[in-house]
Amino acid sequence: MYLVRALAAGLVTVIAVGVPTDIIDTRFFGREVPARGWEHPVHVATATLTALWFGIRPGAQERRPTGAMAGVVLAVISLAMLTIAVVLRRRQSLCGPDCAGPAERTAAAQEPSIAQ
């Protein structure tokens, strides 16, 4: 499974980097300056390192679900905070200046001057 994932990641990297930069010559992209000598080895090294990265088997420490659980908790907290912010803003827009604090009411009641 890891070998297949590594080969797929390497192939995607070869295509995703090589085609738009026109290191791999296609009719989709053109290049006025030909590829320099160092670009091909760097392209191969990038694809190789990407394939190796995706081919590494996770260690026992990476398999623990604590990281995933922390991500879920943070996602729930952020959604709750966003919901509260939306509700408060909606409530303020419905009741207008009556919901504003004392400092905001006095600022809204003042007539704008020429300097403003």
Side-chain angles (χ1 to χ4, degrees), residues 20-82:
T21 58
D22 204 34
I23 293 173
I24 298 174
D25 193 24
T26 63
R27 59 186 171 111
F28 300 113
F29 294 97
R31 187 175 181 153
E32 293 181 16
V33 178
R36 294 169 289 246
W38 60 268
E39 291 177 350
H40 295 289
V42 169
H43 184 225
V44 170
T46 302
T48 303
L49 289 172
T50 303
L52 289 172
W53 175 262
F54 280 94
I56 295 173
R57 294 184 176 153
Q61 197 173 33
E62 293 177 9
R63 293 182 186 166
R64 287 188 283 168
T66 56
M69 192 58 166
V72 170
V73 169
L74 288 175
V76 169
I77 290 171
S78 66
L79 288 174
M81 291 173 66
L82 181 61

Side-chain angles (χ1 to χ4, degrees), residues 87-97 99-100 104:
V87 168
L88 291 176
R89 177 163 254 188
R90 178 68 179 153
R91 188 182 331 166
Q92 187 178 17
S93 72
L94 289 176
C95 63
C99 292
E104 294 166 347

